[in-house]
Amino acid sequence: MASHVVGYPRMGPKRELKFALESFWDGKSSADELQNVAADLRASIWNQMADAGIKFIPSNTFSYYDQVLDTTAMLGAVPPRYSWNGGEIGFDVYFSMARGNASVPAMEMTKWFDTNYHYIVPELGPDVNFSYASHKAVQEYKEAKALGMETVPVLVGPVSYLLLSKPAKGVEKSFSLLSLIDKIIPVYKEVVAELKAAGATWIQFDEPTLVLDLDSHKLQAFSDAYSELQSSLSGLNVLIETYFADVPAETYKILTSLKGVTGFGFDLIRGTKTLDLIKTEFPLGKYLFAGVVDGRNIWANDLASSLTTLQDLAGTVGKDKVVVSTSCSLLHTAVDLENETKLDQEIKSWLAFAAQKVVEVNALAKALSGQKDEAYFSSNAAAQASRKSSPRVTNEAVQKPAAALKGSDHRRATNVSARLDAQQKKLNLPNLPTTTIGSFPQTMDLRRVRREFKAKKISEDDYVKTIKEEINNVVKLQEELDIDVLVHGEPERNDMVEYFGEQLSGFAFTVNGWVQSYGSRCVKPPIIYGDVSRPKAMTVFWSSMAQSMTKRPMKGMLTGPVTILNWSFVRNDQPRFETCYQIALAIKDEVEDLEKAGITVIQIDEAALREGLPLRKSEQDFYLKWAVHSFRITNCGVQDTTQVHTHMCYSNFNDIIHSIMDMDADVITIENSRSDEKLLSVFREGVKYRAGIGPGVYDIHSPRIPSTEEIADRINKMLAVLESNILWVNPDCGLKTRKYSEVKPALSNMVAAAKLLRTQLASAK
């Protein structure tokens, strides 16, 4: 019986690729050194899967930034501003597209479906001259073969690539990206021909957009694309992989009727309705790649339940045609549980990271073929039973108040316009007030101090003294820059979600459970294993200290319940909204304690609210109702004079703007600059926003420093669609990934631009 893995984490068990990338970007190591680290990681990944018994091992899932950017490079779809003159695309052009450079900005970055992973959005138009410009897929296949490994090269499918793109600047927004399908298919044919010549026997096309609600035009484009590729694919086994949700019935019918395709991969964790479609009809003689091992969470698989599902499927499609697989790439989970030496042993027994999931896949495949490892299955069953019966999972004192929230409203009593008037009387802010999103650069010394305090190498007094000095420096810097509403810089926090999870009950934490978010950026999601509550205040000490250092308003900085939920590995034994309501009540307690301590501006970040939006439209309304409700719960009890901010970033917000308005925040700061002011289009189309709003004026994920004139131009574009009395001026996101040498001039230019526009507005009256 065969086993398959859709994809695997790239960073390495100890983030080896992250450090190699950052060393290369900083000019401390060469391209050869970076490539050597990458080659070692690839070899290790392939060997690990081979040792676990995986038959269909993927290649070309490794990336220096992201797989969509790799496809852009493969197709030679480089925007003109990067001055690429043809030939094989190297690191200079590749990383300029991803990160920008001193003279030109980066391409837009957005969320990969409903995950916390990001991709670089292709910029396309009718004049793009596609050409085969990166041979990475073939090179990695040959590399694995030289190591004695037969792999399945993975390509982002042509239809998904185009549907994940956007019209380039200057191209009509109505331009049909799918009209380019005939231009990119020849490049795909070249890649396929090279893979065949190199000896490949299988090829995997990832077409995740097939789980979306596609109209007949898009489905026809999909069908036509693979019909056009059919002759080139002759002699190869072809797998089309889908993931993250159910495949709609009409899409399933078109997909499974394609000629020249050998197998179809489905996510049977998040796509349980697809099971019914498979049982009703599956093409005779085709392979079913059954994604029964969760690629997006860290809970050990219920092997007995999965085996029952697989046996049912085998009865439909034939036992020899079922390939046991992961539900999606394991990119979205942590690397190896063996690296967690400090994790509570009972909780650890409930978990499986990528390395363990590979073993689960093969164990299920062997069991399906009659070679069941009884000891392994027995140990798994014991862990499942332990989790269900453990008293540390359930807390009735938490569940009752959370359950009582259903059906209630939780709105502040006064409308936002009246609240803003009351707040302005208290805060006395200038027109176009300036602020930042929360974090300031996290220096190596700061990270070292936090590590030493956690390891108990320095005393609490010494730790507090160091953090206090850092906060004081950040406050002084903001005052020198003349920023209006300050932040304390979050020096006590390594991660916005991890920091709060460490102080809430029901959370567990890893040492090496890193997951790639984008590029070299990794996050370490907390594990929500039980009911959530707040034993004591979490931020009041630091926020009060920071406020005592200045007469200007100091934001209290919190992470919202939906973002904590979406950026954690969440328990799968109760509905997500129930867990979210529990977190909301905990954050509500913190908000009210901050207000009592004299903090008059409180930011409750919901950076991940859009990210959690279900992919299918029929499920979106329910999610938005409980997500928005959860946010309102956190601040429904504060006074009119307390200004509540929220922040969102790196997603497409236009389609949920009315839900954002329904959150009823006093001020929202939101990513805008990297996406070419896409957000502003919703206001041009007539949406009236009455609360405060700060569309980001510069991209913090690029080292590039914008000029005062560039920022002023952005603010003017905002003033064309938003009233000046509600507009705030701020960066796109937090500053912790940047250096002070970048932050100081960028913020100085931002403040100068705001003052310039204030003067112009005053003189125009």
Side-chain angles (χ1 to χ4, degrees):
M1 195 58 57
S3 52
H4 166 252
V5 173
V6 177
Y8 201 81
R10 310 156 180 157
M11 282 290 123
K14 295 186 178 177
R15 296 180 291 163
E16 292 87 343
L17 181 60
K18 167 190 170 65
F19 299 120
L21 282 167
E22 291 173 354
S23 177
F24 174 71
W25 292 336
D26 289 342
K28 296 177 181 176
S29 60
S30 67
D32 284 346
E33 288 172 304
L34 173 59
Q35 289 167 332
N36 288 339
V37 170
D40 288 345
L41 283 171
R42 286 193 294 270
S44 173
I45 290 166
W46 291 327
N47 279 314
Q48 185 178 3
M49 284 191 267
D51 291 345
I54 300 299
K55 178 179 179 181
F56 296 109
I57 298 171
S59 60
N60 198 40
T61 59
F62 184 91
S63 178
Y64 289 103
Y65 215 88
D66 88 81
Q67 67 271 26
V68 179
L69 183 61
D70 291 349
T71 310
T72 295
M74 182 186 85
L75 295 169
V78 181
R81 65 181 178 274
Y82 299 108
S83 303
W84 175 61
N85 297 314
E88 187 80 3
I89 289 175
F91 281 156
D92 283 354
V93 171
Y94 181 87
F95 287 128
S96 290
M97 289 192 286
R99 308 177 72 240
N101 57 43
S103 57
V104 292
M107 295 166 70
E108 180 184 352
M109 181 170 70
T110 196
K111 294 290 175 71
W112 177 246
F113 294 84
D114 58 347
T115 74
N116 188 28
Y117 181 70
H118 301 66
Y119 74 96
I120 302 297
V121 182
E123 301 172 11
L124 305 178
D127 299 328
V128 176
N129 294 313
F130 297 98
S131 63
Y132 188 12
S134 171
H135 294 66
K136 175 179 173 294
V138 178
Q139 290 163 354
E140 287 191 16
Y141 172 78
K142 289 179 176 178
E143 183 182 321
K145 197 163 188 177
L147 295 171
M149 237 100 46
E150 182 59 37
T151 60
V152 179
V154 179
L155 301 177
V156 174
V159 177
S160 287
Y161 176 78
L162 292 177
L163 291 179
L164 292 168
S165 304
K166 70 174 185 177
K169 204 166 187 177
V171 175
E172 289 292 328
K173 298 302 178 188
S174 59
F175 174 71
S176 172
L177 293 160
L178 286 175
S179 68
L180 299 172
I181 196 77
D182 292 339
K183 293 186 176 183
I184 69 171
I185 288 295
V187 180
Y188 275 89
K189 287 181 176 179
E190 287 187 72
V191 179
V192 169
E194 278 200 11
L195 287 169
K196 285 168 73 172
T201 57
W202 278 83
I203 186 168
Q204 175 179 320
F205 290 98
D206 281 6
E207 290 282 9
T209 55
L210 290 178
V211 305
L212 304 177
D213 297 299
L214 302 181
D215 60 31
S216 58
H217 169 66
K218 291 172 182 173
L219 290 175
Q220 187 61 51
F222 170 75
S223 186
D224 291 346
Y226 283 91
S227 294
E228 180 62 29
L229 281 170
Q230 186 180 342
S231 60
S232 299
L233 293 168
S234 177
L236 277 174
N237 292 293
V238 178
L239 165 63
I240 297 183
E241 185 68 51
T242 68
Y243 37 79
F244 298 152
D246 287 298
V247 175
E250 184 60 26
T251 305
Y252 176 85
K253 184 178 178 181
I254 291 170
L255 170 62
T256 54
S257 63
L258 286 178
K259 295 177 180 177
V261 176
T262 316
F264 307 95
F266 299 107
D267 182 339
L268 301 181
I269 300 295
R270 290 177 175 245
T272 52
K273 293 176 185 174
T274 305
L275 275 171
D276 296 330
L277 296 174
I278 295 168
K279 290 174 184 176
T280 301
E281 186 177 9
F282 191 80
L284 187 66
K286 303 294 185 181
Y287 286 91
L288 169 64
F289 285 69
V292 295
V293 173
D294 194 348
R296 288 184 57 174
N297 217 327
I298 42 66
W299 303 108
N301 190 275
D302 185 339
L303 296 177
S305 176
S306 293
L307 183 57
T308 299
T309 298
L310 291 166
Q311 288 167 338
D312 287 347
L313 291 170
T316 301
V317 307
K319 187 180 285 190
D320 61 329
K321 297 298 181 184
V322 175
V323 179
V324 182
S325 183
T326 55
S327 64
C328 62
S329 173
L330 296 174
L331 172 70
H332 308 288
T333 189
V335 179
D336 192 347
L337 192 58
E338 291 301 311
N339 294 324
E340 301 305 324
T341 56
K342 297 181 180 179
L343 196 58
D344 176 276
Q345 286 302 307
E346 182 183 30
I347 294 173
K348 189 174 180 178
S349 73
W350 303 341
L351 308 179
F353 291 179
Q356 289 69 44
K357 288 176 184 292
V358 168
V359 174
E360 289 179 339
V361 166
N362 201 55
L364 285 165
K366 289 175 71 176
L368 188 59
S369 67
Q371 303 172 56
K372 185 178 179 183
D373 184 335
E374 295 292 350
Y376 183 71
F377 269 70
S378 177
S379 174
N380 175 266
Q384 298 292 325
S386 161
R387 185 176 167 213
K388 286 177 183 174
S389 62
S390 175
R392 66 201 305 177
V393 171
T394 305
N395 182 343
E396 195 173 332
V398 173
Q399 289 198 343
K400 279 186 176 180
L405 296 173
K406 297 172 191 175
S408 52
D409 196 32
H410 295 92
R411 289 182 186 272
R412 293 172 78 178
T414 311
N415 70 53
V416 69
S417 298
R419 297 199 308 264
L420 288 174
D421 287 344
Q423 292 155 14
Q424 179 59 15
K425 287 175 183 174
K426 186 167 187 176
L427 298 172
N428 194 29
L429 297 172
N431 210 13
L432 306 179
T434 54
T435 190
T436 64
I437 304 306
S439 61
F440 265 64
Q442 302 256 321
T443 63
M444 295 299 289
D445 284 344
L446 191 56
R447 295 177 191 276
R448 175 184 54 77
V449 166
R450 282 201 306 262
R451 283 197 307 272
E452 289 178 351
F453 178 60
K454 274 195 170 184
K456 299 182 179 178
K457 292 181 179 178
I458 60 173
S459 69
E460 184 172 1
D461 286 346
D462 287 341
Y463 173 72
V464 169
K465 181 182 177 183
T466 302
I467 298 300
K468 183 177 181 179
E469 287 173 0
E470 182 68 20
I471 292 172
N472 193 44
N473 291 337
V474 169
V475 170
K476 282 183 177 177
L477 172 61
Q478 292 172 92
E479 288 184 329
E480 288 167 8
L481 291 168
D482 204 17
I483 291 172
D484 300 303
V485 176
L486 311 190
V487 297
H488 75 291
E490 303 177 8
E492 79 283 14
R493 307 177 193 181
N494 178 60
D495 176 86
M496 61 189 285
V497 174
E498 183 180 5
Y499 176 80
F500 289 98
E502 285 177 338
Q503 300 181 77
L504 295 169
S505 63
F507 282 76
F509 294 87
T510 62
V511 174
N512 291 299
W514 297 100
V515 179
Q516 185 182 15
S517 180
Y518 61 85
S520 68
R521 168 81 172 137
C522 298
V523 294
K524 198 165 48 166
I527 299 165
I528 305 177
Y529 67 84
D531 290 332
V532 178
S533 62
R534 185 196 74 145
K536 61 181 182 180
M538 302 179 286
T539 64
V540 174
F541 175 76
W542 299 115
S543 293
S544 299
M545 176 190 290
Q547 184 62 81
S548 71
M549 297 173 179
T550 181
K551 293 181 179 178
R552 302 187 185 206
M554 173 66 62
K555 289 186 195 174
M557 298 299 304
L558 305 175
T559 302
V562 185
T563 297
I564 291 176
L565 183 88
N566 286 335
W567 285 358
S568 298
F569 290 125
V570 183
R571 58 189 294 189
N572 58 0
D573 59 344
Q574 70 178 17
R576 289 173 70 88
F577 72 84
E578 291 185 11
T579 303
C580 198
Y581 281 161
Q582 293 176 2
I583 302 169
L585 288 174
I587 299 299
K588 181 177 186 289
D589 290 343
E590 188 71 12
V591 167
E592 291 171 5
D593 280 352
L594 282 168
E595 185 182 58
K596 288 173 188 171
I599 305 300
T600 55
V601 181
I602 302 172
Q603 182 168 307
I604 308 165
D605 286 345
E606 283 297 12
L609 187 139
R610 173 61 174 79
E611 173 187 311
L613 188 71
L615 301 176
R616 301 295 295 280
K617 291 176 182 175
S618 60
E619 301 168 8
Q620 292 176 358
D621 186 57
F622 176 67
Y623 165 79
L624 287 169
K625 282 181 178 175
W626 64 253
V628 169
H629 184 199
S630 295
F631 176 83
R632 289 203 307 262
I633 288 167
T634 64
N635 60 86
C636 63
V638 299
Q639 300 171 31
D640 288 353
T641 50
T642 297
Q643 190 167 86
V644 174
H645 289 222
T646 191
H647 170 67
M648 296 181 175
C649 56
Y650 298 102
S651 288
N652 180 12
F653 300 104
N654 293 22
D655 56 346
I656 64 162
I657 190 67
H658 293 288
S659 293
I660 291 173
M661 292 165 71
D662 198 35
M663 292 169 71
D664 199 28
D666 297 310
V667 178
I668 179 171
T669 53
I670 194 163
E671 182 272 325
N672 170 68
S673 63
R674 185 154 181 171
S675 57
D676 295 326
E677 288 93 23
K678 187 192 302 179
L679 172 72
L680 301 185
S681 65
V682 77
F683 302 114
R684 294 189 193 102
E685 291 161 8
V687 171
K688 297 296 181 186
Y689 199 79
R690 292 179 171 81
I693 183 167
V697 296
Y698 79 90
D699 174 24
I700 64 86
H701 289 295
S702 171
R704 185 173 168 275
I705 299 164
S707 66
T708 298
E709 293 74 22
E710 181 182 330
I711 295 174
D713 180 58
R714 280 216 168 95
I715 299 171
N716 268 320
K717 289 178 181 177
M718 297 170 192
L719 287 169
V721 293
L722 294 164
E723 298 294 331
S724 62
N725 65 331
I726 64 168
L727 186 62
W728 285 63
V729 177
N730 46 262
D732 265 350
C733 202
L735 303 170
K736 74 176 178 182
T737 60
R738 301 268 54 89
K739 299 171 183 174
Y740 272 106
S741 59
E742 300 158 349
V743 166
K744 289 178 182 179
L747 290 180
S748 178
N749 292 346
M750 183 187 82
V751 172
K755 289 180 176 179
L756 176 67
L757 268 295
R758 284 176 200 158
T759 302
Q760 292 177 1
L761 288 169
S763 62
K765 287 183 179 178

